C-alpha cells in the first residue's frame, strides 16, 4: 500500500512466522542475532551493505524498465521517500529536524556512489531518538492521566498530507491528543483508570522495545526500498533474510518443525501447530507454549527471551533431518513454572493454508438446486527450484487447481468459480498455465520490454481441464498474475468476471541475486525485485492503472485514493499496443444483461448488501472528514449507535441461519474482507477493505493486548462467517447455469465450445 507507518513497514520483523530452515545460515546467524538484541549505540552500515547499495544502483540505473540515473534529482526523491518510510504520519520528526537535514536532499546519490551510507543511518538514529522521546512523553501523560473529556477537541486521523509539527511544543500537543484518544477508547470499553494506565504504559513501552530491536539490516533495507520505490512502486530491495522468506512464500514449502511462532510480551509463543509436522507428531508442543531457549542438536541452549521473532525463527531453522531442542515453558505454567526440553527432527513442511482450496456451494431457488464449485487461490505459487531439478511432485498452483477441477467434475458441479480476491499475484508462468486449464491453445498475455520488444506468452497444451461454464471473482486486492488470468478469461469470452475493479498492476518483475557481485562467499548482498517489462492483455489493452473491470459489479469496498496502482504518484501510465492473434472461445455479452438484472433484483432485497453499502458510505465519510472527536459524550453516543447496529444485525443474522429455512445456501468460509471489522468511528482504520459484518464495539486494544485464546477464537468465528460476496457470486453462476440449460440455442451462441454443459449437469 502507499502508506507505510514504521510499525507497519516492519511487520515482517515482528509478526507471526512459520518456522523454516536454511541450514547453512543457522549457526552464523546465531552469533549475529545475539548482537542484534541490544541496540546499545547508534546503528552503522556494514561494508557489505555499502557495496550492495552500489551494485544495486548500477543494476537499477541500467536494466530497469524505467531506468533512471542516480543523480541529484533521484537523490531528492530518495530523500522524500525515506522520510515518508520512517514517519509517513509525521508523528515523530519536526520541521526543525527536516530543516537540519535539508542539505542531505541532494547527497544520497553521493552516499551510494562513494560507498558511505553514514547519512541515511544518521537520519535513522535521529528518528530513533525522536521516537523514544515521543514514547517517553506518552508514558508520562499516562501516569498523570488527567484528561478533560468534556472539551470539544478533535484528532486528525490521517496525517500523511498534514504539515510537520513546527517544533517540540506542537509535536507534544499532537501526542497529547493521541494518548487522550487511546485512553478514551479504553474508558469507553469499560476499563477503569488503573487498567487503562497499565495497558497504555505497557503498550508504549512495547513500541520502544520493538524499535530498539531493529538492526542495521532493517535500516539498510528501509533506505534501499526508499531508493527502489522512488523509481517505480513495485521495485524492491530484499535483504538476505527477506529474500529467503520471499522464496519460501513462492514455493509454499520449507524445512522446519511445523509451528507458527508469535511474539507476545517477551516470549516466543506457539501460535499454531501445523498438522502432520514434527511438532504435531511429537504431541509435546501445543498452542500457547512459550519457547525460552533453543539448542542445535546436543549443543548448549541459547536464551531467546525478549528476542525478535525472526531472530528466534532463524535459530529454530536448520537442515532437514537435523535435530533442534527447545526449552519450553508450558502454556499452563506460571512464569516460574517447570520448563520442559523438547527435541524435534526438522522435516519438510507444506504451507497448505496458502494452497488452492475447494468448496461447493449449493444454491436453491424456485425448487431447483445448482451446485457451484469454488476454487480459492490465495497466490500464484510455484517451487521453481524443485521444477528446475525435475521433481515430478513440485508444488504448483496450476497443478493443485487442476486436481481440484477433476474432483469437482466427479462431484458434478454446474459451474466453477475461481476466487482470486486479495490474491496479489506471484508466478507469471502459473498465470499462463492456469489460464490453459480453461482454454485450448492460444496467447494469454503480452510483454513489452524497455527496448520495445513484444513477447507473447501462450498456452501450448491442447485440451481443457474444465470445459463447463466458469467465472472469476476479484476485488481491489487482486493484482498482477490475478489480473493476467482474469483479463485472459474475459478476453476469450471464457467466463464471467465478478466483483470490483482490480488493483491495476500491469508490470513484470524479476529477482536479481546481488550476491553474484560479492567478492567473497561470506558477504551477502541480498536481492532486487526489479521491474523489467509491462504486460498487456491479448486484446492490446493493459491492466496498468485501470485494472480489470468486472462484467458483473459488486459494491466497491476499497478506496482507490489510498489503495491500488492509481494511488502511486510514480506508477507507469496506461497505454495500448496491437492485439495478439487469438480466437475467442465464446461471447458472453448476451448473458451479461439478464444476469445483471437478476443480480440487481436479488441484492435490492438483501439487507446484508444494504449493510455493506451503509458501511462503505460511513467509512468514506469518516475518511473524508478525517477527524474524530475527543469528547466523551460524543464518542459514547457514537458507540451506542454502533452497538445498536450490531444487535440489529446479529439478530437478523441469527434469524437467517435458522435451520428451518431450507432455501438458505450453504455458507462458505469467510474471506479476508469478512474478517475485517466494520468501520467504527472510535477506531478508524485505513484498510482498503470496509466490508460488512455485525459491527463490534471497540475494545481499545491492540495486537497481543488481547489473550491468545480470544484472538484465535475470533479468527475461527470469522472463518465460519457468511461470505456475502462469495454467496452472491455463486448465485450469479447458478443463474448462468440455469439460463444455459434452459436455452440451448443461447448456449450454442455464447459458449459453442462447451461440451461440459451436458456432462456436468444434474
Amino acid at each position: 500500500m502507499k502508506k507505510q507507518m514504521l510499525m507497519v513497514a516492519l511487520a515482517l520483523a515482528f509478526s507471526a512466522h512459520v518456522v523454516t530452515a536454511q541450514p547453512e545460515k543457522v549457526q552464523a546467524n546465531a552469533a549475529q542475532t545475539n548482537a542484534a538484541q541490544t541496540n546499545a549505540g547508534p546503528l552503522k552500515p556494514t561494508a557489505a551493505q555499502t557495496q550492495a547499495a552500489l551494485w544495486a544502483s548500477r543494476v537499477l540505473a541500467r536494466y530497469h524498465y524505467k531506468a533512471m540515473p542516480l543523480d541529484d534529482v533521484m537523490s531528492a526523491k530518495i530523500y522524500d521517500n525515506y522520510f515518508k518510510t520512517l514517519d509517513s504520519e509525521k508523528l515523530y520528526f519536526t520541521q526543525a529536524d527536516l530543516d537540519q537535514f535539508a542539505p542531505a536532499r541532494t547527497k544520497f546519490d553521493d552516499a551510494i556512489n562513494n560507498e558511505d551510507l553514514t547519512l541515511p543511518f544518521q537520519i535513522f538514529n535521529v528518528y530513533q531518538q525522536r521516537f523514544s522521546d515521543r514514547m517517553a512523553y506518552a508514558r508520562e501523560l499516562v501516569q498523570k492521566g488527567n484528561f478533560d473529556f468534556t472539551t470539544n477537541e478533535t484528532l486528525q486521523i490521517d496525517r500523511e498530507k498534514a504539515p510537520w509539527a513546527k517544533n517540540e511544543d506542537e509535536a507534544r500537543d499532537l501526542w497529547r491528543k493521541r494518548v487522550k484518544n487511546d485512553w478514551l477508547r479504553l474508558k469507553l470499553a469499560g476499563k477503569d483508570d488503573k487498567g487503562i494506565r497499565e495497558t497504555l504504559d505497557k503498550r508504549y513501552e512495547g513500541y520502544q522495545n520493538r524499535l530498539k530491536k531493529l538492526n542495521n539490516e532493517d535500516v539498510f533495507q528501509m533506505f534501499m526500498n526508499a531508493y527502489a520505490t522512488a523509481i517505480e512502486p513495485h521495485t524492491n530491495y530484499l535483504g538476505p533474510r527477506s529474500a529467503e522468506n520471499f522464496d519460501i512464500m513462492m514455493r509454499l514449502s520449507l524445512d522446519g518443525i511445523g509451528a507458527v511462532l508469535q511474539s507476545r510480551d517477551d516470549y516466543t509463543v506457539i501460535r499454531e501447530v501445523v498438522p502432520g509436522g514434527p511438532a504435531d507428531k511429537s504431541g509435546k508442543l501445543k498452542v500457547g507454549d512459550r519457547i525460552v531457549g533453543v539448542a542445535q542438536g546436543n549443543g548448549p541452549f541459547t536464551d531467546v527471551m525478549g528476542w525478535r521473532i525472526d531472530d528466534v525463527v532463524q535459530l529454530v531453522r536448520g537442515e532437514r533431518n537435523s535435530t533442534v531442542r527447545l526449552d519450553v515453558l508450558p502454556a499452563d505454567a506460571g512464569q516460574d513454572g517447570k520448563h520442559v526440553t523438547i527435541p524435534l527432527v526438522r522435516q519438510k513442511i507444506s504451507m497448505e493454508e496458502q494452497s488452492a482450496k475447494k468448496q461447493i456451494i449449493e444454491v436453491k431457488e424456485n425448487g431447483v438446486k445448482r451446485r457451484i464449485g469454488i476454487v480459492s487461490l490465495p497466490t500464484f505459487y510455484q517451487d521453481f527450484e524443485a521444477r528446475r531439478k525435475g521433481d515430478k511432485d513440485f508444488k504448483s498452483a496450476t497443478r493443485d487447481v487442476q486436481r481440484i477441477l477433476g474432483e469437482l467434475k466427479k462431484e458434478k458441479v454446474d459451474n466453477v468459480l475461481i476466487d482470486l480476491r486479495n490474491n496479489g499475484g506471484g508466478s507469471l508462468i502459473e498465470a499462463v498455465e492456469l489460464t490453459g486449464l480453461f482454454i485450448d491453445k492460444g496467447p494469454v498475455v503480452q510483454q513489452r520490454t524497455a527496448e520495445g520488444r513484444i513477447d507473447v506468452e501462450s498456452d501450448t497444451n491442447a485440451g481443457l481441464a474444465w470445459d463447463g461454464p466458469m467465472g472469476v471473482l476479484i476485488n481491489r486486492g487482486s493484482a498482477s498474475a490475478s489480473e493476467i488470468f482474469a483479463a485472459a478469461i474475459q478476453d476469450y469470452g471464457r467466463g464471467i468476471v465478478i466483483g470490483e475493479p482490480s488493483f491495476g498492476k500491469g508490470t513484470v518483475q524479476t529477482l536479481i541475486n546481488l550476491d553474484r557481485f560479492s567478492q567473497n562467499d561470506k558477504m551477502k548482498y541480498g536481492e532486487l525485485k526489479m521491474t523489467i517489462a509491462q504486460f498487456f492483455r491479448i486484446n492490446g489493452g493493459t491492466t496498468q492503472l485501470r485494472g480489470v473491470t468486472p462484467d458483473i459489479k459488486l459494491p466497491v469496498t476499497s478506496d482507490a485514493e489510498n489503495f491500488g496502482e492509481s494511488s502511486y504518484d510514480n506508477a507507469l501510465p496506461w497505454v495500448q499496443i496491437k492485439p495478439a492473434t487469438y480466437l475467442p472461445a465464446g461471447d458472453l455479452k448476451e448473458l451479461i444483461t439478464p444476469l445483471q438484472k437478476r443480480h440487481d433484483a436479488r441484492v435490492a432485497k438483501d439487507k446484508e448488501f444494504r449493510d455493506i453499502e451503509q458501511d462503505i458510505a460511513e467509512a468514506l465519510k469518516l475518511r473524508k472528514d478525517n477527524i474524530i472527536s475527543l469528547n466523551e459524550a460524543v464518542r459514547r453516543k457514537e458507540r451506542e449507535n454502533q452497538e445498536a447496529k450490531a444487535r440489529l444485525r446479529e439478530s437478523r443474522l441469527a434469524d437467517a441461519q435458522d435451520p428451518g429455512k431450507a432455501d438458505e445456501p450453504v455458507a462458505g468460509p469467510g474471506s479476508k474482507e469478512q474478517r475485517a471489522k466494520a468501520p467504527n468511528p472510535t477506531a478508524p482504520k485505513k484498510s482498503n477493505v470496509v466490508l460488512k459484518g455485525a459491527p463490534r464495539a471497540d475494545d481499545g486494544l491492540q495486537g497481543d493486548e488481547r489473550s491468545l485464546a480470544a484472538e484465535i477464537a475470533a479468527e475461527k468465528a470469522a472463518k465460519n462467517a457468511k461470505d456475502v460476496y462469495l454467496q452472491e457470486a455463486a448465485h450469479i453462476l447458478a443463474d448462468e447455469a440455469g439460463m444455459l440449460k434452459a436455452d440451448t440455442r443461447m448456449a450454442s451462441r455464447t459458449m459453442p465450445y462447451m461440451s461440459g454443459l451436458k456432462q456436468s449437469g444434474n
Side-chain angles (χ1 to χ4, degrees):
M1 290 182 68
K2 182 172 71 170
K3 299 177 180 178
Q4 297 179 343
M5 290 185 68
L6 180 67
M7 303 314 294
V8 175
L10 299 175
L12 279 178
F14 305 117
S15 61
H17 280 249
V18 176
V19 177
T20 61
Q22 281 294 333
E24 68 278 7
K25 298 180 182 178
V26 174
Q27 299 295 343
N29 278 326
Q32 297 173 8
T33 298
N34 286 324
Q37 302 313 305
T38 53
N39 179 5
L43 292 174
K44 299 177 181 179
T46 66
Q49 289 164 354
T50 60
Q51 293 169 26
L54 180 63
W55 282 108
S57 69
R58 292 175 177 175
V59 172
L60 291 170
R62 182 172 180 182
Y63 298 108
H64 195 280
Y65 184 73
K66 184 185 172 184
M68 301 173 69
L70 179 60
D71 53 16
D72 286 355
V73 174
M74 177 55 67
S75 176
K77 293 179 179 180
I78 299 172
Y79 176 92
D80 291 338
N81 234 13
Y82 189 44
F83 275 92
K84 189 174 182 179
T85 298
L86 292 172
D87 191 8
S88 67
E89 294 292 302
K90 300 173 182 173
L91 297 172
Y92 305 103
F93 289 120
T94 65
Q95 185 58 53
D97 292 322
L98 272 293
D99 293 341
Q100 173 192 345
F101 285 114
R105 190 174 184 83
T106 57
K107 302 298 183 183
F108 280 149
D109 55 330
D110 302 318
I112 293 173
N113 286 324
N114 296 333
E115 297 186 47
D116 182 2
L117 298 182
T118 303
L119 183 56
F121 275 77
Q122 284 178 341
I123 292 174
F124 176 82
N125 288 326
V126 171
Y127 165 78
Q128 190 175 47
Q129 182 60 53
R130 296 293 177 268
F131 190 100
S132 180
D133 292 343
R134 304 295 175 247
M135 292 305 105
Y137 179 58
R139 297 179 71 184
E140 179 185 323
L141 290 172
V142 166
Q143 294 309 313
K144 293 178 180 177
N146 56 344
F147 297 107
D148 182 357
F149 294 112
T150 64
T151 62
N152 290 320
E153 281 189 311
T154 59
L155 175 68
Q156 188 176 15
I157 302 169
D158 182 351
R159 284 185 44 80
E160 185 180 32
K161 296 179 181 178
W164 298 94
K166 294 178 183 178
N167 48 45
E168 280 297 304
D169 288 342
E170 201 169 287
R172 287 165 74 88
D173 189 59
L174 170 63
W175 273 93
R176 178 188 62 80
K177 290 182 177 181
R178 293 182 66 82
V179 176
K180 183 177 180 179
N181 180 58
D182 286 347
W183 188 291
L184 180 55
R185 289 178 61 196
L186 291 166
K187 183 178 183 181
L188 292 172
K191 276 188 174 289
D192 59 21
D193 286 357
K194 182 175 182 293
I196 294 172
R197 188 171 284 109
E198 290 175 351
T199 298
L200 292 184
D201 188 66
K202 185 177 180 181
R203 178 184 300 176
Y204 301 139
E205 182 185 29
Y207 289 165
Q208 284 182 299
N209 290 338
R210 284 196 286 271
L211 190 73
K212 288 176 183 177
K213 292 175 185 176
L214 296 186
N215 55 37
N216 53 19
E217 183 177 325
D218 298 312
V219 179
F220 178 65
Q221 183 161 295
M222 283 189 282
F223 172 67
M224 288 303 296
N225 271 310
Y227 174 19
T229 56
I231 301 173
E232 183 268 340
H234 304 292
T235 295
N236 301 102
Y237 169 77
L238 304 174
R241 188 173 294 181
S242 295
E244 178 183 325
N245 290 334
F246 183 84
D247 180 53
I248 289 169
M249 290 177 63
M250 283 303 298
R251 68 176 186 260
L252 289 193
S253 66
L254 46 93
D255 291 347
I257 66 171
V260 178
L261 307 183
Q262 182 184 49
S263 286
R264 297 185 74 86
D265 298 328
D266 285 332
Y267 289 103
T268 297
V269 178
I270 303 296
R271 180 67 173 72
E272 179 184 338
V273 177
V274 179
D280 180 43
K281 290 180 179 178
S282 76
K284 297 177 181 179
L285 269 181
K286 60 183 181 297
V287 172
D289 284 352
R290 292 155 287 181
I291 298 174
V292 295
V294 181
Q296 308 300 324
N298 294 320
F301 276 102
T302 299
D303 188 310
V304 296
M305 283 290 292
W307 280 29
R308 285 169 44 146
I309 188 65
D310 57 342
D311 287 331
V312 179
V313 167
Q314 198 75 3
L315 274 187
V316 178
R317 292 172 176 171
E319 186 176 359
R320 193 180 307 182
N321 297 321
S322 65
T323 299
V324 61
R325 289 186 298 129
L326 306 179
D327 182 9
V328 174
L329 183 61
D332 53 4
Q335 290 188 358
D336 298 324
K338 183 179 180 181
H339 293 209
V340 295
T341 299
I342 300 176
L344 296 168
V345 178
R346 301 168 175 116
Q347 297 296 335
K348 181 177 180 179
I349 307 296
S350 294
M351 299 166 64
E352 293 302 324
E353 184 64 27
Q354 292 298 310
S355 298
K357 290 181 177 59
K358 73 164 182 176
Q359 64 172 303
I360 295 176
I361 293 180
E362 293 186 349
V363 178
K364 190 174 182 181
E365 202 164 339
N366 298 324
V368 178
K369 184 173 68 176
R370 304 287 180 199
R371 291 164 57 80
I372 310 303
I374 311 296
V375 182
S376 300
L377 188 65
T379 183
F380 285 80
Y381 50 87
Q382 184 185 117
D383 189 339
F384 297 108
E385 183 66 15
R387 183 172 186 167
R388 185 184 65 80
K389 290 180 178 178
D391 183 348
K392 60 183 180 65
D393 295 321
F394 70 88
K395 189 72 173 173
S396 155
T398 301
R399 291 161 66 118
D400 287 347
V401 172
Q402 185 171 15
R403 170 183 50 79
I404 289 172
L405 290 173
E407 294 170 0
L408 292 174
K409 271 187 179 181
K410 293 178 181 178
E411 295 176 86
K412 298 188 180 300
V413 298
D414 295 276
N415 211 327
V416 165
L417 178 71
I418 308 298
D419 185 357
L420 297 180
R421 288 173 299 170
N422 299 308
N423 181 323
S427 166
L428 176 64
I429 296 172
E430 290 296 327
V432 173
E433 294 185 351
L434 187 71
T435 305
L437 300 182
F438 300 95
I439 66 171
D440 192 358
K441 286 184 177 181
V444 173
V445 64
Q446 303 184 86
Q447 290 189 69
R448 185 174 70 180
T449 66
E451 296 78 25
R453 186 183 76 251
I454 295 175
D455 298 315
V456 180
E457 301 290 338
S458 300
D459 166 44
T460 58
N461 296 319
L464 292 76
W466 175 261
D467 57 5
M470 57 89 66
V472 185
L473 182 59
I474 59 173
N475 66 1
R476 188 69 166 174
S478 306
S480 195
S482 292
E483 295 175 288
I484 291 174
F485 176 80
I489 293 298
Q490 194 175 58
D491 290 345
Y492 272 104
R494 179 62 183 89
I496 296 170
V497 179
I498 304 166
E500 62 179 308
S502 59
F503 190 92
K505 178 181 177 293
T507 53
V508 182
Q509 286 73 40
T510 191
L511 283 172
I512 298 175
N513 191 341
L514 297 175
D515 290 351
R516 69 178 69 176
F517 304 114
S518 179
Q519 297 179 358
N520 63 69
D521 293 338
K522 293 183 179 180
M523 274 197 176
K524 300 296 180 183
Y525 287 174
E527 296 181 352
L528 279 179
K529 181 166 72 72
M530 189 176 74
T531 299
I532 56 168
Q534 187 170 354
F535 69 71
F536 293 83
R537 301 173 66 139
I538 53 176
N539 69 4
T542 179
T543 60
Q544 178 65 16
L545 285 184
R546 301 181 185 180
V548 176
T549 302
D551 301 306
I552 305 291
K553 299 179 179 64
L554 300 179
V556 174
T557 62
S558 58
D559 178 6
E561 184 179 341
N562 292 292
F563 184 62
E565 192 76 8
S566 58
S567 69
Y568 299 110
D569 54 16
N570 64 340
L572 295 175
W574 186 93
V575 290
Q576 194 164 7
I577 64 172
K578 183 180 178 181
T581 302
Y582 69 101
L583 181 64
D587 186 351
L588 305 179
K589 292 185 178 67
E590 187 177 345
L591 285 168
I592 299 303
T593 299
L595 288 174
Q596 183 75 53
K597 287 181 178 179
R598 292 191 185 194
H599 161 69
D600 292 342
R602 187 164 43 246
V603 300
K605 298 181 293 183
D606 192 316
K607 292 181 180 179
E608 288 177 301
F609 266 88
R610 289 206 295 272
D611 289 343
I612 291 174
E613 291 168 351
Q614 182 184 33
D615 289 347
I616 292 169
E618 288 179 2
L620 291 177
K621 182 180 184 302
L622 185 64
R623 189 168 286 135
K624 182 180 179 182
D625 294 343
N626 200 27
I627 57 170
I628 52 174
S629 174
L630 297 178
N631 181 290
E632 183 178 351
V634 172
R635 290 278 284 275
R636 197 168 290 281
K637 182 65 176 177
E638 291 173 346
R639 184 184 182 90
E640 290 170 356
N641 291 338
Q642 286 290 92
E643 290 175 343
K645 182 190 296 183
R647 287 192 295 271
L648 179 63
R649 291 191 188 179
E650 286 171 356
S651 175
R652 193 170 67 237
L653 287 171
D655 291 341
Q657 292 170 2
D658 186 336
K661 297 188 177 183
D663 284 348
E664 282 296 316
V666 177
S671 68
K672 289 182 181 178
E673 292 96 323
Q674 273 69 50
R675 295 174 200 167
K677 274 188 178 181
N680 188 320
T682 65
K685 292 189 175 185
K686 290 187 251 178
S687 169
N688 57 302
V689 172
V690 288
L691 257 184
K692 77 96 206 167
R696 292 178 292 172
D698 176 27
D699 62 4
L701 300 176
Q702 298 179 1
D704 62 3
E705 291 171 0
R706 301 178 185 89
S707 72
L708 180 59
E711 189 177 308
I712 293 173
E715 290 182 6
K716 185 177 180 180
K719 286 182 179 180
N720 293 327
K722 182 179 178 182
D723 186 338
V724 178
Y725 276 20
L726 186 62
Q727 294 292 331
E728 178 54 25
H731 270 284
I732 292 168
L733 294 193
D735 287 344
E736 179 194 30
M739 291 165 59
L740 293 173
K741 289 179 181 179
D743 189 341
T744 55
R745 286 179 296 178
M746 175 185 285
S748 64
R749 291 194 302 272
T750 59
M751 303 180 181
Y753 53 98
M754 287 192 185
S755 62
L757 287 173
K758 296 179 181 179
Q759 69 181 35
S760 64
N762 289 330

